[in-house]
Amino acid sequence: MKLLRYGPRGAERPAILDSAGQARDLSAIVEDIDPALLEGNFAALARLNVSTLPAIPSGTRTGPPLSHVGKFVCIGLNYSDHAAEARMPIPKEPILFLKATSAVCGPDDDVVLPPGAKKSDWEVELGVIIGRECRYVSEEDAMRHVAGVCVVNDLSEREYQLERGGQWDKGKCCETFNPLGPFLRTADDLVDPQSVSLRSWVNGEPRQDGSTKNMIFPVAEIVRYLSQFMVLEPGDLINTGTPAGVALGNPNVSFLRAGDVVELEAEGLGRQRQTMVQA
Ligand code: ZN
């Protein structure tokens, strides 16, 4: 299933994409796409005849596909080509940082560059959403706790991230710095999370062209690893790292400025498009 949320910010309604790609309103069936739905039995949704549900008019805003994101954990430098361009060593264990859930926005919302920001950067990633509580889980068992995956732009203000005395969080948490969606693709029709191509463009020029097959730590290992340090709960979100092709470390590529348009795509998971605006 491809679950999503439509409507004005803060008043989104649950929806589902039908087999033709038409979004259909689910609000008569479920309250929201939220941790309670993920934790509960949403197999019932799979048996719905979605073609009978009301179609959502085109042009309606798409929100993030999950409300009430719980913990928001990110993996840094999870692709060797990105570690190389950032001139940082290949990590021996996953690098963790936490991101504020208030950074989450819709996939096509404007991205607000904070005052004085000079080094804002894009990062197309596979986002993983937890569906079942787990602790100390094995790698073999890990994927049973994943509700689904989606596209993420893990925007980063590099000066705040790297030149302001630590930690990385300062450059990652700005409002609108985590466009999510357009939809949550549920685990029951999950694409192989280790064979998703990831691409990004800035003002139409290709920037990133990678694949999750090149992750240093695959998704099952990330879930296992995180569960050694914290309880993972339904609605928790994991950004799993970005491949090469960002502005950091590439002197011929400009950081983002107001007016720039960033597009991002993950195979089978849809496409995002954001315009940069100045705070
Ligand atoms: Zn990232």
Side-chain angles (χ1 to χ4, degrees), residues 127-194:
V128 171
I129 293 168
I130 298 294
R132 291 176 58 197
E133 185 175 292
C134 65
R135 53 176 64 70
Y136 313 122
V137 73
S138 67
E139 187 167 353
E140 295 69 43
D141 227 14
M143 294 309 289
R144 292 200 305 116
H145 300 84
V146 169
V149 293
C150 59
V151 190
V152 173
N153 186 1
D154 181 27
L155 282 135
S156 310
E157 207 334 285
R158 302 300 188 189
E159 185 192 7
Y160 298 3
Q161 178 189 351
L162 301 169
E163 302 168 34
R164 298 288 296 272
Q167 301 178 351
W168 285 13
D169 306 45
K170 288 178 193 168
K172 296 280 189 173
C173 294
C174 307
E175 186 177 24
T176 71
F177 265 33
N178 208 79
L180 192 68
F183 52 80
L184 160 61
R185 187 156 178 176
T186 56
D188 58 301
D189 87 314
L190 187 58
V191 286
D192 175 359
Q194 301 314 140

Side-chain angles (χ1 to χ4, degrees), residues 47 88 161 164 191 203 213 215 254 263:
R47 292 192 291 272
M88 294 182 199
Q161 178 189 351
R164 298 288 296 272
V191 286
N203 301 325
K213 72 177 187 308
M215 282 183 179
S254 301
E263 292 167 279

Side-chain angles (χ1 to χ4, degrees), residues 15-258:
I16 187 167
L17 284 189
D18 69 18
S19 55
Q22 169 68 51
R24 303 211 171 243
D25 192 294
L26 266 184
S27 52
I29 315 288
V30 299
E31 206 163 300
D32 204 348
I33 313 296
D34 59 9
L37 178 72
L38 303 184
E39 189 174 22
N41 175 19
F42 66 1
L45 286 180
R47 292 192 291 272
L48 272 180
N49 182 1
V50 295
S51 62
T52 62
L53 298 171
I56 290 168
S58 64
T60 310
R61 171 183 174 270
T62 306
L66 177 67
S67 74
H68 298 89
V69 171
K71 284 187 291 303
F72 187 0
V73 191
C74 306
I75 307 298
L77 304 177
N78 197 23
Y79 291 77
S80 51
D81 55 357
H82 175 58
E85 73 180 349
R87 297 182 180 82
M88 294 182 199
I90 305 274
K92 292 187 176 62
E93 295 192 42
I95 292 173
L96 303 189
F97 60 94
L98 291 170
K99 194 158 173 171
T101 56
S102 50
V104 173
C105 64
D108 303 326
D109 288 350
D110 288 348
V111 165
V112 180
L113 303 177
K118 293 189 180 65
K119 296 184 179 176
S120 295
D121 207 346
W122 55 89
E123 294 188 348
V124 63
E125 302 192 10
L126 182 75
V128 171
I129 293 168
I130 298 294
R132 291 176 58 197
E133 185 175 292
C134 65
R135 53 176 64 70
Y136 313 122
V137 73
S138 67
E139 187 167 353
E140 295 69 43
D141 227 14
M143 294 309 289
R144 292 200 305 116
H145 300 84
V146 169
V149 293
C150 59
V151 190
V152 173
N153 186 1
D154 181 27
L155 282 135
S156 310
E157 207 334 285
R158 302 300 188 189
E159 185 192 7
Y160 298 3
Q161 178 189 351
L162 301 169
E163 302 168 34
R164 298 288 296 272
Q167 301 178 351
W168 285 13
D169 306 45
K170 288 178 193 168
K172 296 280 189 173
C173 294
C174 307
E175 186 177 24
T176 71
F177 265 33
N178 208 79
L180 192 68
F183 52 80
L184 160 61
R185 187 156 178 176
T186 56
D188 58 301
D189 87 314
L190 187 58
V191 286
D192 175 359
Q194 301 314 140
S195 66
V196 178
S197 65
L198 300 170
R199 294 193 182 88
S200 66
W201 299 260
V202 177
N203 301 325
E205 288 189 30
R207 289 288 183 249
Q208 294 175 280
D209 184 0
S211 168
T212 57
K213 72 177 187 308
N214 296 322
M215 282 183 179
I216 298 169
F217 304 104
V219 173
E221 168 58 11
I222 289 170
V223 171
R224 183 205 70 81
Y225 186 84
L226 290 177
S227 80
Q228 310 305 304
F229 301 100
M230 63 188 82
V231 179
L232 294 173
E233 298 168 303
D236 288 353
L237 170 64
I238 306 168
N239 286 359
T240 57
T242 200
V246 301
L248 176 68
N250 292 306
N252 301 323
V253 173
S254 301
F255 289 106
L256 294 168
R257 287 181 288 247

